[in-house]
Amino acid sequence: MGDPILGDKKECQKIIRLKSLNSTTNVSALAREVIEKCKGLIHPAKIGEVEQLLYYLQNRRETPPGSAQNKDNDLKRSELTDSRTREDSDYSEDSTLKEAAHITDLDSYIELLYEDIPEKIKGTTLIMHLARNPDNLEELVTNEMLLGALARVLREDWKKSTELATNIMFTFLCLSRFSQFQAIISHFKVGTLCMAAIEHELKRHDLWRDELLKKRKMTEGDNQLAKREYEKSLIKYQSLVSKQEQLLRVSFNILSNLGEDIKVEMKMVNKNVVGMLVKALERDGVELLTLVVQMLRKLSVFVENKCQMADLNVVEKVSKLIPCDHPELLDRSLRLLLNLSFDTDLRGKMIKVGLLPKLVGLISSKHKTVVLSILYHVSMDDRCKSMFTYTDCVPIVISMLIESAEEHLDIELMALCINLAANKRNAQLMCEGEGLRLLMQRAFKFKDCLMMKVVRNVSQHDGPTRNLFVEYVSDLANAVVRCDSEDFVIEVLGTLGNLVISDLDYELLLQEYSMVPWLRERLKPGAADDDLILECVLLVSTCCSDEQCAIMLAREGFVTSLVDLLHAKQEDDEFVCQLMHCCYRFVHHTFTRECVLKTHAPDYMLDLMFDANTSISSVVNDTLDIIAEHDAAWAKKIQSEKFRHHNENWLDMVDSRQADDSNDLYGEDPMGPFLRGDELLDRPDLFERPDLFYGDGFRDTVILQGDGDMSPDYIMDDLGNSNPEFLTQHGLSRYSRLQKEKALNYH
């Protein structure tokens, strides 16, 4: 049979290469020869199994590419080949050869790698086709000569031929899809070569484009020769770009697969892979753009990468891809924008480049969830909420809310509506026509607290929108005392608390629906959840804007209940602020003001006048101003407390200034600013220096003698008579000068 067997011995195994296996081979004879060559490894009794294996290999090799058996085999290997991307198959179709690649001819393909560029291209193309079959990968990986030769050719000749570089990188791409082979790729530094190739090709593309633009400018006018030259250059440019995008596609694919290891990804980031990806967004190839956007999306979850993308104006470049006719590219672009929309500045850029109308137009598409999430992030900024009024967003989302028959709507849709309702103009658009009635109807039908939150945000705006709620006040009050859902009741209470309407009879409302005992019971500390208690306080504050209702609540003991609640929640700023606002409403009316003054509420207010929370201190001072205006005794107390506080602050300021001045005056004097008595006795040298006490010229003018019977007045008179300039030089005190002037005037 012409020496059909070549064997490589390894520990516990022997690799058999059947070079001449074909349709005419005698399988039984070949099986006996294999067993003879593998003495000690295969028992002769296993000859039947060896024949079956050889028969399978013989039929597999001779199976035509389009046969049913080959299709069945492809179906069995579908799980392994699912990871192949569409761009890989597109490239392989462009690189087909008339010659079929066989794993048995691998050595001859390797020999081609040592020839000239055309032979290298042929050899790498055949090897690439072998690598496309996952069954061949393990044998390719074990061939160190093959991998070393491929890495060498790629390192030395990738600039000489784009096709050659693409063939080799595609072979490594097939290996990079499997994590167990990625260490081999890293060993040959294929990732570094990919990044170098990407950077080089991007620069080359800029040069080609600049040259094409120059030739295009030369076509202005009737220069026919320049026009023909430009057309030729354009065709050449398109051909070069097509081949270049194949190389970029394969290179980025390898980096994407290697980036599954976070350490490798960090190395790529340090080598500016983010900048390369953002630069590649300027290309036109759909497959390349899809891959690039996917990689950017993965990298954008890290703050450092996101900041670098922002500096490179990634939002402006991605906005050009929205909308597009390619669903996969559109989906990945939207998901990249979703990651970027967590940044406030980038949300502002999205508005600036005009993305908002484009996103609104995609709400009804199959990308609805991602689009609504982006719009929700944009609507978080108050400055951006008003921009929605210039689009059809509000009518679209309200229509989606009302027309949906499902009990639970998408959380993204509800969150967006809640944010939009916080803007006055958006709220007016929501209430146009039957909007408010339909919203209320759905909220009460399903007891949907999120829908009720939308209604609550709409009710916070004054003007005609708030007056529309008069029709639904009875339904809201009835829901408070009858609904079992606490979350829904909280939103209903918040809605009622927003309805400050002059024509509304709050007293009648509370009495008709028996809300007074319901509120009194829940205003007790610990009687309910804090959120519910807080909403009750807000409702009481709103009702107290009506004098008759405020008097009724005061007679029911609400003032005392509020003060007790203030004592229990004095550490909670939100509770304190709302309770003080409630007291502010009470003190507006004479009767209720007297009720407030009989409690400890004014004492709490005196303590809170200068609270660090400006909202609390502001409402407290407004409340105390009203009390001081109507009660002289409390006016004095308030004035006294303000004086005490300001005086205390002034003294603290003076003390701090004196401490600073003393530090500046003495510096780092080892003696310190003062000497204590025991320290003074330890310094006898000070007594031998009269200049410390009297100055340098004193001892030249005065000599103290005798037993000390000379009076100080005599000394001063003597000094003044003997040396008139002394008094001026040595600083006679202001008090002494005044006394002397009085004596002269007297005489």
Side-chain angles (χ1 to χ4, degrees), residues 94-144:
D94 297 337
S95 304
T96 54
L97 288 177
K98 295 181 181 179
E99 179 182 352
H102 297 284
I103 192 67
T104 56
D105 299 328
L106 183 60
D107 291 339
S108 61
Y109 302 157
I110 296 175
E111 292 176 0
L112 294 175
L113 300 180
Y114 295 91
E115 304 296 333
D116 294 333
I117 296 298
E119 287 75 15
K120 289 180 180 178
I121 293 176
K122 179 181 178 180
T124 54
T125 303
L126 291 167
I127 294 171
M128 179 195 68
H129 280 279
L130 291 176
R132 291 187 65 244
N133 186 353
D135 295 337
N136 299 328
L137 290 181
E138 189 170 359
E139 187 167 350
L140 294 177
V141 168
T142 57
N143 195 322
E144 297 180 1

Side-chain angles (χ1 to χ4, degrees), residues 344-387:
T344 304
D345 296 333
L346 291 179
R347 291 199 296 267
K349 286 187 178 180
M350 292 179 190
I351 298 296
K352 188 176 181 180
V353 300
L355 263 176
L356 185 58
K358 296 180 180 180
L359 293 172
V360 171
L362 295 171
I363 291 179
S364 301
S365 67
K366 67 177 183 179
H367 309 286
K368 178 180 69 172
T369 301
V370 182
V371 172
L372 289 174
S373 300
I374 299 173
L375 292 175
Y376 164 70
H377 286 170
V378 174
S379 67
M380 292 169 61
D381 302 329
D382 291 336
R383 58 180 179 173
C384 297
K385 287 185 176 71
S386 59
M387 301 300 295

Side-chain angles (χ1 to χ4, degrees), residues 354-584:
L355 263 176
L356 185 58
K358 296 180 180 180
L359 293 172
V360 171
L362 295 171
I363 291 179
S364 301
S365 67
K366 67 177 183 179
H367 309 286
K368 178 180 69 172
T369 301
V370 182
V371 172
L372 289 174
S373 300
I374 299 173
L375 292 175
Y376 164 70
H377 286 170
V378 174
S379 67
M380 292 169 61
D381 302 329
D382 291 336
R383 58 180 179 173
C384 297
K385 287 185 176 71
S386 59
M387 301 300 295
F388 284 85
T389 60
Y390 301 101
T391 68
D392 295 330
C393 183
V394 175
I396 291 174
V397 296
I398 291 299
S399 177
M400 294 172 67
L401 287 180
I402 296 173
E403 295 177 0
S404 177
E406 299 179 2
E407 180 178 355
H408 300 288
L409 298 173
D410 294 336
I411 189 66
E412 296 85 3
L413 176 62
M414 296 304 305
L416 174 61
C417 291
I418 290 170
N419 282 356
L420 293 179
N423 177 267
K424 185 174 183 178
R425 179 53 185 156
N426 290 332
Q428 292 174 352
L429 292 175
M430 291 180 179
C431 295
E432 285 184 351
E434 298 291 325
L436 180 59
R437 184 184 65 80
L438 295 174
L439 289 176
M440 292 285 293
Q441 182 179 350
R442 179 178 177 84
F444 278 85
K445 178 180 179 181
F446 297 107
K447 297 297 184 290
D448 189 344
C449 61
L450 293 180
M451 182 66 74
M452 200 63 219
K453 190 179 288 290
V454 175
V455 175
R456 175 180 179 177
N457 283 359
V458 172
S459 67
Q460 70 183 352
H461 306 291
D462 55 0
T465 304
R466 182 176 292 172
N467 294 330
L468 296 175
F469 282 86
V470 174
E471 181 181 350
Y472 308 101
V473 167
S474 58
D475 296 328
L476 294 171
N478 187 53
V480 169
V481 296
R482 297 184 182 277
C483 184
D484 297 330
S485 174
E486 184 174 305
D487 292 335
F488 186 76
V489 170
I490 288 174
E491 301 304 329
V492 173
L493 285 171
T495 305
L496 286 172
N498 289 333
L499 301 182
V500 182
I501 304 174
S502 57
D503 296 335
L504 186 60
D505 191 342
Y506 295 97
E507 181 183 8
L508 178 62
L509 179 69
L510 296 182
Q511 291 178 346
E512 183 175 352
Y513 291 95
S514 304
M515 294 183 65
V516 173
W518 189 92
L519 289 171
R520 188 194 306 111
E521 184 65 26
R522 281 154 185 79
L523 284 177
K524 296 178 181 179
D529 187 73
D530 284 353
D531 292 337
L532 182 60
I533 297 176
L534 186 60
E535 296 302 332
C536 292
V537 173
L538 291 172
L539 178 58
V540 171
S541 179
T542 300
C543 294
C544 289
S545 60
D546 180 11
E547 183 175 3
Q548 296 301 321
C549 186
I551 294 173
M552 184 266 294
L553 292 176
R555 288 174 176 170
E556 293 289 341
F558 273 73
V559 175
T560 304
S561 299
L562 293 174
V563 174
D564 294 340
L565 187 60
L566 176 62
H567 178 72
K569 299 292 184 180
Q570 56 185 328
E571 301 298 329
D572 191 322
D573 281 3
E574 182 65 23
F575 262 101
V576 172
C577 184
Q578 298 302 334
L579 287 168
M580 287 295 100
H581 189 268
C582 197
C583 291
Y584 171 77

Side-chain angles (χ1 to χ4, degrees), residues 18-150:
L18 307 174
K19 285 192 172 184
S20 60
L21 181 63
N22 51 46
S23 59
T24 61
T25 302
N26 188 340
V27 174
S28 299
L30 184 59
R32 288 194 297 270
E33 191 169 352
V34 169
I35 290 177
E36 184 179 352
K37 294 291 185 180
C38 298
K39 289 182 179 180
L41 295 177
I42 302 178
H43 194 273
K46 300 286 186 179
I47 188 171
E49 297 181 10
V50 175
E51 289 181 1
Q52 291 180 1
L53 179 60
L54 292 174
Y55 181 74
Y56 166 75
L57 293 175
Q58 185 183 43
N59 291 337
R60 189 188 69 170
R61 288 179 179 278
E62 297 302 323
T63 300
S67 66
Q69 184 178 352
N70 193 28
K71 292 181 180 178
D72 293 340
N73 293 336
D74 291 341
L75 184 61
K76 293 178 181 178
R77 296 194 299 270
S78 60
E79 294 182 359
L80 295 176
T81 58
D82 282 344
S83 60
R84 298 180 186 178
T85 56
R86 182 169 54 257
E87 54 267 24
D88 296 343
S89 61
D90 292 342
Y91 170 70
S92 63
E93 291 175 1
D94 297 337
S95 304
T96 54
L97 288 177
K98 295 181 181 179
E99 179 182 352
H102 297 284
I103 192 67
T104 56
D105 299 328
L106 183 60
D107 291 339
S108 61
Y109 302 157
I110 296 175
E111 292 176 0
L112 294 175
L113 300 180
Y114 295 91
E115 304 296 333
D116 294 333
I117 296 298
E119 287 75 15
K120 289 180 180 178
I121 293 176
K122 179 181 178 180
T124 54
T125 303
L126 291 167
I127 294 171
M128 179 195 68
H129 280 279
L130 291 176
R132 291 187 65 244
N133 186 353
D135 295 337
N136 299 328
L137 290 181
E138 189 170 359
E139 187 167 350
L140 294 177
V141 168
T142 57
N143 195 322
E144 297 180 1
M145 183 183 295
L146 170 65
L147 298 178
L150 289 174

Side-chain angles (χ1 to χ4, degrees), residues 20-288:
S20 60
L21 181 63
N22 51 46
S23 59
T24 61
T25 302
N26 188 340
V27 174
S28 299
L30 184 59
R32 288 194 297 270
E33 191 169 352
V34 169
I35 290 177
E36 184 179 352
K37 294 291 185 180
C38 298
K39 289 182 179 180
L41 295 177
I42 302 178
H43 194 273
K46 300 286 186 179
I47 188 171
E49 297 181 10
V50 175
E51 289 181 1
Q52 291 180 1
L53 179 60
L54 292 174
Y55 181 74
Y56 166 75
L57 293 175
Q58 185 183 43
N59 291 337
R60 189 188 69 170
R61 288 179 179 278
E62 297 302 323
T63 300
S67 66
Q69 184 178 352
N70 193 28
K71 292 181 180 178
D72 293 340
N73 293 336
D74 291 341
L75 184 61
K76 293 178 181 178
R77 296 194 299 270
S78 60
E79 294 182 359
L80 295 176
T81 58
D82 282 344
S83 60
R84 298 180 186 178
T85 56
R86 182 169 54 257
E87 54 267 24
D88 296 343
S89 61
D90 292 342
Y91 170 70
S92 63
E93 291 175 1
D94 297 337
S95 304
T96 54
L97 288 177
K98 295 181 181 179
E99 179 182 352
H102 297 284
I103 192 67
T104 56
D105 299 328
L106 183 60
D107 291 339
S108 61
Y109 302 157
I110 296 175
E111 292 176 0
L112 294 175
L113 300 180
Y114 295 91
E115 304 296 333
D116 294 333
I117 296 298
E119 287 75 15
K120 289 180 180 178
I121 293 176
K122 179 181 178 180
T124 54
T125 303
L126 291 167
I127 294 171
M128 179 195 68
H129 280 279
L130 291 176
R132 291 187 65 244
N133 186 353
D135 295 337
N136 299 328
L137 290 181
E138 189 170 359
E139 187 167 350
L140 294 177
V141 168
T142 57
N143 195 322
E144 297 180 1
M145 183 183 295
L146 170 65
L147 298 178
L150 289 174
R152 176 187 59 79
V153 174
L154 179 62
R155 185 168 54 253
E156 296 176 357
D157 299 332
W158 67 269
K159 290 184 180 180
K160 298 179 183 179
S161 172
T162 302
E163 186 178 358
L164 175 63
T166 307
N167 289 342
I168 298 175
M169 287 187 178
F170 190 93
T171 302
F172 284 116
L173 172 61
C174 294
L175 297 175
S176 69
R177 293 193 182 111
F178 301 91
S179 58
Q180 60 267 33
F181 300 147
Q182 291 179 0
I184 300 173
I185 298 176
S186 300
H187 173 72
F188 289 102
K189 300 186 183 300
V190 177
T192 303
L193 294 174
C194 287
M195 296 196 68
I198 292 171
E199 185 177 9
H200 177 74
E201 295 300 331
L202 291 175
K203 291 180 180 179
R204 279 179 50 173
H205 180 263
D206 290 340
L207 294 175
W208 295 343
R209 187 173 53 186
D210 293 341
E211 292 178 2
L212 188 65
L213 290 176
K214 290 179 182 179
K215 292 184 179 181
R216 183 178 180 180
K217 291 181 180 179
M218 295 173 62
T219 60
E220 297 177 357
D222 298 331
N223 192 339
Q224 298 298 326
L225 180 61
K227 290 183 179 179
R228 287 195 296 269
E229 185 68 23
Y230 170 72
E231 292 175 358
K232 293 180 180 179
S233 300
L234 180 60
I235 295 174
K236 182 179 179 181
Y237 169 79
Q238 292 173 346
S239 176
L240 291 173
V241 168
S242 177
K243 293 182 179 180
Q244 190 183 64
E245 287 198 351
Q246 292 175 357
L247 176 59
L248 292 175
R249 214 161 62 220
V250 176
S251 301
F252 277 127
N253 255 313
I254 294 175
L255 296 179
S256 178
N257 293 337
L258 295 178
E260 294 176 0
D261 186 346
I262 189 65
K263 294 182 179 178
V264 176
E265 185 179 87
M266 291 177 63
K267 291 181 180 179
M268 291 192 293
V269 170
N270 293 335
K271 292 184 179 180
N272 194 33
V273 70
V274 174
M276 297 178 188
L277 289 167
V278 175
K279 180 68 176 177
L281 288 174
E282 300 173 1
R283 313 288 294 216
D284 298 325
V286 176
E287 293 83 3
L288 177 60

